[in-house]
Amino acid sequence: LSPVCLGSLRRAASINAEYMVCDTVEDMWGEMARTIKVKSLPENQGKSEEDIAAIRAVMRKHLNDVSFPKYLKNMENVLQKNPEKSGYFVGSSITGADVAVFCMVKHLQRGIMDGIDPKIIETHAPSLVALHDNLAKNEAVAKYYEEFPNGRSKREESG
């Protein structure tokens, strides 16, 4: 198990199972997000922009073809294990896990990450897209994204 998962399991001993599901999903998304930051990796410090671009292309291909599909399928499995079959990760209402996945789906569907297919979630975990679409109809969420279509990002595009 990864250190993140071990941390989740330790915390789960003192909290209920619902929080554990939320924590697990948020950890998976966090691990996915950390894997895309090529430039910040210690082994890439001081490398030229050309070298970084070449490394990024190889990493993104692996993320698109191997890592992200695995994480997405794992998240979808967690979603589908909700005994209430509500379309949410836990129970029958929105939790932090649902919001984290909503943001991830929204970001990846924008198609702004070079080398990552904007339809990757639709292809590998369609129930996560259904969750996103359901949350997008929530009045508060819809109002927020009406004001901030790309979230509160300072950049319209990221690579």
Side-chain angles (χ1 to χ4, degrees):
L1 291 174
S2 74
V4 174
C5 288
L6 287 173
S8 294
L9 291 173
R10 285 187 196 107
R11 288 190 300 274
S14 63
I15 57 178
N16 71 36
E18 291 179 3
Y19 290 111
M20 184 176 168
V21 170
C22 292
D23 195 43
T24 299
V25 170
E26 290 171 358
D27 283 349
M28 281 189 271
W29 168 231
E31 286 183 34
M32 286 177 67
R34 281 186 292 282
T35 63
I36 62 176
K37 298 181 180 179
V38 177
K39 212 173 189 178
S40 64
L41 296 173
E43 62 268 25
N44 294 331
Q45 298 299 309
K47 291 190 177 178
S48 72
E49 289 299 317
E50 286 177 354
D51 288 343
I52 295 291
I55 293 166
R56 179 180 291 123
V58 170
M59 284 182 69
R60 296 276 172 94
K61 178 161 180 37
H62 182 77
L63 292 172
N64 187 75
D65 298 347
V66 179
S67 297
F68 280 12
K70 178 184 80 171
Y71 281 117
L72 294 168
K73 194 43 124 175
N74 287 342
M75 277 189 235
E76 185 173 61
N77 288 338
V78 172
L79 177 64
Q80 292 172 343
K81 286 182 181 176
N82 180 350
E84 295 191 29
K85 304 295 183 204
S86 62
Y88 297 111
F89 278 97
V90 177
S92 59
S93 60
I94 297 170
T95 64
D98 302 306
V99 173
V101 170
F102 172 87
C103 294
M104 173 196 67
V105 171
K106 186 159 186 62
H107 181 75
L108 291 175
Q109 284 182 332
R110 288 176 59 204
I112 59 173
M113 288 180 54
D114 54 308
I116 304 297
D117 180 359
K119 295 195 180 289
I120 191 168
I121 300 173
E122 186 178 312
T123 301
H124 297 283
S127 64
L128 298 181
V129 175
L131 170 73
H132 169 274
D133 294 349
N134 185 39
L135 262 66
K137 295 174 191 171
N138 176 283
E139 184 179 342
V141 173
K143 184 177 179 182
Y144 175 85
Y145 281 100
E146 184 177 305
E147 185 175 350
F148 303 101
N150 296 320
R152 291 192 180 215
S153 174
K154 293 179 183 172
R155 298 183 298 175
E156 291 298 310
E157 301 292 317
S158 67

Coordinates of all heavy atoms in Angstrom, one line a residue, residues 37-72:
K37 N 3.0 16.8 -12.4 CA 3.8 17.9 -12.2 C 5.3 17.5 -12.5 O 6.1 17.4 -11.6 CB 3.6 18.5 -10.8 CG 2.2 19.0 -10.6 CD 2.0 19.5 -9.3 CE 0.6 20.0 -9.2 NZ 0.3 20.5 -7.9
V38 N 5.6 17.4 -13.8 CA 6.9 17.0 -14.2 C 8.0 17.9 -13.7 O 9.1 17.5 -13.2 CB 7.0 16.8 -15.7 CG1 8.3 16.4 -16.2 CG2 5.9 15.9 -16.2
K39 N 7.8 19.2 -13.9 CA 8.9 20.2 -13.7 C 9.3 20.2 -12.2 O 10.4 20.5 -11.9 CB 8.4 21.5 -14.1 CG 9.4 22.5 -14.6 CD 8.8 23.7 -15.2 CE 9.8 24.5 -15.9 NZ 9.2 25.7 -16.5
S40 N 8.3 19.9 -11.3 CA 8.6 20.1 -9.9 C 9.3 18.9 -9.3 O 9.8 18.9 -8.1 CB 7.3 20.3 -9.1 OG 6.4 19.2 -9.2
L41 N 9.5 17.8 -10.0 CA 10.1 16.6 -9.5 C 11.6 16.9 -9.3 O 12.3 17.5 -10.2 CB 10.0 15.4 -10.5 CG 8.6 14.9 -10.7 CD1 8.5 13.9 -11.8 CD2 8.0 14.4 -9.4
P42 N 12.2 16.5 -8.2 CA 13.6 16.8 -7.9 C 14.6 16.4 -9.0 O 15.5 17.1 -9.3 CB 13.9 16.0 -6.6 CG 12.6 15.8 -6.0 CD 11.6 15.7 -7.1
E43 N 14.3 15.2 -9.6 CA 15.2 14.8 -10.6 C 15.2 15.6 -11.9 O 16.1 15.5 -12.8 CB 15.0 13.3 -11.0 CG 13.6 13.0 -11.5 CD 12.6 12.6 -10.5 OE1 12.7 13.0 -9.3 OE2 11.6 11.9 -10.8
N44 N 14.2 16.5 -12.0 CA 14.1 17.3 -13.2 C 14.5 18.8 -13.0 O 14.5 19.6 -13.9 CB 12.7 17.3 -13.8 CG 12.3 15.9 -14.2 OD1 13.1 15.2 -14.7 ND2 11.0 15.6 -14.2
Q45 N 15.0 19.1 -11.8 CA 15.4 20.4 -11.5 C 16.7 20.8 -12.3 O 17.6 19.9 -12.5 CB 15.8 20.6 -10.0 CG 14.6 20.4 -9.1 CD 13.5 21.3 -9.3 OE1 13.7 22.5 -9.4 NE2 12.3 20.8 -9.5
G46 N 16.7 21.9 -12.9 CA 17.8 22.4 -13.7 C 17.9 21.9 -15.2 O 18.8 22.2 -15.9
K47 N 16.9 21.1 -15.6 CA 16.8 20.6 -16.9 C 16.3 21.7 -17.8 O 15.5 22.5 -17.4 CB 16.0 19.3 -17.0 CG 16.7 18.1 -16.3 CD 16.0 16.8 -16.6 CE 16.8 15.7 -16.0 NZ 16.2 14.4 -16.2
S48 N 16.6 21.6 -19.1 CA 16.2 22.6 -20.1 C 14.7 22.4 -20.3 O 14.1 21.3 -20.1 CB 16.9 22.4 -21.4 OG 16.5 21.2 -22.1
E49 N 14.0 23.4 -20.9 CA 12.6 23.3 -21.3 C 12.4 22.2 -22.3 O 11.4 21.5 -22.2 CB 12.1 24.6 -21.8 CG 12.0 25.7 -20.7 CD 11.0 25.3 -19.6 OE1 9.9 24.8 -19.9 OE2 11.3 25.6 -18.4
E50 N 13.3 22.0 -23.2 CA 13.2 20.9 -24.2 C 13.2 19.6 -23.5 O 12.5 18.7 -23.9 CB 14.3 21.0 -25.2 CG 14.2 22.2 -26.2 CD 15.3 22.3 -27.2 OE1 16.3 21.5 -27.0 OE2 15.2 23.1 -28.1
D51 N 14.2 19.4 -22.6 CA 14.2 18.1 -21.9 C 13.0 17.9 -21.1 O 12.4 16.8 -21.0 CB 15.4 18.1 -20.9 CG 16.8 18.0 -21.7 OD1 16.8 17.6 -22.9 OD2 17.8 18.3 -21.0
I52 N 12.5 18.9 -20.4 CA 11.2 18.8 -19.6 C 10.1 18.4 -20.5 O 9.3 17.6 -20.2 CB 10.9 20.1 -18.9 CG1 12.0 20.4 -17.8 CG2 9.5 20.1 -18.3 CD1 12.0 19.5 -16.6
A53 N 10.0 19.0 -21.7 CA 8.9 18.7 -22.7 C 9.0 17.3 -23.1 O 7.9 16.6 -23.2 CB 9.0 19.7 -23.9
A54 N 10.2 16.8 -23.3 CA 10.3 15.4 -23.8 C 9.9 14.4 -22.6 O 9.2 13.4 -22.9 CB 11.8 15.1 -24.2
I55 N 10.3 14.7 -21.4 CA 10.0 13.9 -20.3 C 8.5 14.0 -20.1 O 7.8 12.9 -19.8 CB 10.7 14.4 -19.0 CG1 12.2 14.2 -19.2 CG2 10.2 13.7 -17.7 CD1 13.1 14.9 -18.1
R56 N 7.9 15.2 -20.2 CA 6.5 15.3 -20.0 C 5.7 14.5 -21.0 O 4.7 13.8 -20.7 CB 6.0 16.8 -20.1 CG 4.5 17.0 -20.0 CD 4.1 18.4 -20.1 NE 4.6 19.2 -19.0 CZ 5.4 20.3 -19.1 NH1 5.7 20.7 -20.3 NH2 5.8 20.9 -18.0
A57 N 6.1 14.5 -22.3 CA 5.4 13.7 -23.3 C 5.4 12.2 -23.0 O 4.4 11.5 -23.1 CB 6.1 13.9 -24.7
V58 N 6.5 11.7 -22.5 CA 6.6 10.3 -22.2 C 5.7 10.0 -21.0 O 5.0 9.0 -20.9 CB 8.1 9.8 -21.9 CG1 8.2 8.4 -21.3 CG2 8.9 9.9 -23.2
M59 N 5.8 10.8 -19.9 CA 5.0 10.6 -18.7 C 3.5 10.7 -19.0 O 2.7 9.9 -18.6 CB 5.4 11.7 -17.7 CG 6.7 11.4 -17.0 SD 7.1 12.6 -15.7 CE 5.8 12.2 -14.5
R60 N 3.1 11.7 -19.8 CA 1.7 11.9 -20.1 C 1.2 10.7 -20.9 O 0.0 10.3 -20.7 CB 1.5 13.2 -20.9 CG 1.8 14.5 -20.0 CD 0.7 14.9 -19.1 NE 1.0 15.9 -18.2 CZ 0.9 17.2 -18.4 NH1 0.3 17.6 -19.6 NH2 1.2 18.1 -17.5
K61 N 2.0 10.2 -21.8 CA 1.5 9.0 -22.6 C 1.2 7.8 -21.6 O 0.2 7.2 -21.7 CB 2.5 8.6 -23.6 CG 2.1 7.3 -24.4 CD 2.8 7.1 -25.7 CE 2.4 5.9 -26.4 NZ 1.0 5.5 -26.4
H62 N 2.2 7.6 -20.7 CA 2.0 6.6 -19.7 C 0.8 6.9 -18.8 O 0.0 6.0 -18.5 CB 3.2 6.4 -18.8 CG 3.1 5.3 -17.8 ND1 3.2 4.0 -18.1 CD2 2.9 5.4 -16.5 CE1 3.1 3.3 -17.0 NE2 2.8 4.1 -16.0
L63 N 0.6 8.1 -18.4 CA -0.5 8.5 -17.5 C -1.8 8.2 -18.3 O -2.8 7.6 -17.7 CB -0.5 9.9 -17.1 CG 0.6 10.3 -16.2 CD1 0.7 11.8 -16.0 CD2 0.5 9.6 -14.8
N64 N -1.9 8.6 -19.6 CA -3.1 8.5 -20.4 C -3.4 7.0 -20.7 O -4.6 6.6 -20.6 CB -2.9 9.2 -21.7 CG -4.2 9.3 -22.5 OD1 -5.1 10.0 -22.2 ND2 -4.2 8.5 -23.5
D65 N -2.4 6.2 -20.9 CA -2.6 4.8 -21.4 C -2.6 3.8 -20.2 O -3.3 2.8 -20.4 CB -1.5 4.4 -22.3 CG -1.5 5.2 -23.6 OD1 -2.4 6.0 -23.9 OD2 -0.5 5.1 -24.3
V66 N -2.0 4.1 -19.1 CA -1.9 3.1 -18.0 C -2.4 3.6 -16.7 O -3.3 3.1 -16.1 CB -0.4 2.7 -17.9 CG1 -0.2 1.6 -16.8 CG2 0.1 2.1 -19.2
S67 N -1.7 4.7 -16.1 CA -2.0 5.1 -14.7 C -3.4 5.7 -14.5 O -4.1 5.2 -13.6 CB -1.0 6.1 -14.3 OG 0.3 5.6 -14.3
F68 N -3.8 6.6 -15.3 CA -5.1 7.3 -15.1 C -6.2 6.3 -15.3 O -7.2 6.2 -14.5 CB -5.3 8.5 -16.0 CG -4.6 9.7 -15.5 CD1 -3.7 9.7 -14.5 CD2 -4.9 11.0 -16.1 CE1 -3.1 10.9 -14.0 CE2 -4.3 12.1 -15.6 CZ -3.4 12.1 -14.6
P69 N -6.2 5.4 -16.4 CA -7.3 4.4 -16.5 C -7.4 3.6 -15.2 O -8.5 3.2 -14.8 CB -6.9 3.6 -17.7 CG -6.2 4.6 -18.6 CD -5.4 5.4 -17.6
K70 N -6.3 3.2 -14.6 CA -6.3 2.4 -13.4 C -7.0 3.1 -12.3 O -7.9 2.6 -11.6 CB -4.9 1.9 -13.1 CG -4.8 1.1 -11.8 CD -3.4 0.8 -11.4 CE -2.8 2.0 -10.7 NZ -1.5 1.8 -10.1
Y71 N -6.5 4.4 -12.0 CA -7.1 5.2 -11.0 C -8.6 5.4 -11.2 O -9.4 5.3 -10.3 CB -6.4 6.5 -10.8 CG -5.1 6.5 -10.1 CD1 -3.9 6.8 -10.8 CD2 -5.0 6.1 -8.8 CE1 -2.7 6.8 -10.1 CE2 -3.8 6.1 -8.1 CZ -2.6 6.4 -8.8 OH -1.4 6.4 -8.1
L72 N -8.9 5.7 -12.4 CA -10.3 6.0 -12.8 C -11.2 4.8 -12.5 O -12.3 4.9 -12.0 CB -10.5 6.5 -14.2 CG -9.8 7.9 -14.5 CD1 -9.7 8.1 -16.0 CD2 -10.5 9.0 -13.8

